[in-house]
Amino acid sequence: MQTSFTRSLLGSTAGYAALVLRLPIGLILVAHGGQKLFGWFGGYGLEGTGQWLASIGLAPGYVMALLAGSAEFFGGVALILGLFTRPAALVSAFTMLVAIFSVHVSNGLFLTNNGYEYALALFAATVALLIQGGGRLSLDQWLLQRFQR
């Protein structure tokens, strides 16, 4: 049986365009999370990322690396699948805000100076997904239809 909570969690005002946002944003987040958690793609893994996060004042660094890496990796997987899109987008958006204000804002806007433009773009895309949901081609939509039966 479908409840208003189920509709708010899984429902979507988006059509097919949400897939166009979910796939690349999810892929980017999975890759960045993989760097933090597993050392993939030239990343430093939990230990190295944790040491760096502690050095910039985000302590305990290991826990912060685990939280940020998990939010990015598992949130990215969820976005790709369109599974619990809104919660995944919320966690991802929050992670981008932390990155913006703890790492990038003092460097200005531009990426060439390690600025916040890239994290801001990811933040905007995840907020859009938070607002509109996973769209027509998502596991959220499939689950919602299953609850209607």
Side-chain angles (χ1 to χ4, degrees), residues 36 48-61 64-65 68 98-107 114:
K36 290 175 182 69
T49 303
Q51 289 172 5
W52 178 74
L53 288 172
S55 78
I56 64 166
L58 292 173
M64 292 299 168
V98 171
I100 288 168
F101 289 108
S102 64
V103 178
H104 301 289
V105 76
S106 63
N107 299 318
N114 197 30

Side-chain angles (χ1 to χ4, degrees), residues 25-34 36-38 40 46 65-85 87-89 91-92 95:
I25 297 303
L27 177 66
I28 290 165
L29 289 171
V30 165
H32 281 272
K36 290 175 182 69
L37 293 176
F38 314 117
W40 295 349
L46 280 174
L66 182 62
L67 290 171
S70 294
E72 290 175 350
F73 186 81
F74 296 108
V77 168
L79 290 179
I80 289 168
L81 298 173
L83 179 62
F84 301 115
T85 302
V91 169
S92 300
T95 303

Side-chain angles (χ1 to χ4, degrees), residues 35 39-45:
Q35 288 179 311
W40 295 349
F41 313 113
Y44 299 108

Side-chain angles (χ1 to χ4, degrees), residues 107-117:
N107 299 318
L109 175 67
F110 296 105
L111 186 61
T112 53
N113 296 326
N114 197 30
Y116 59 89
E117 71 177 316

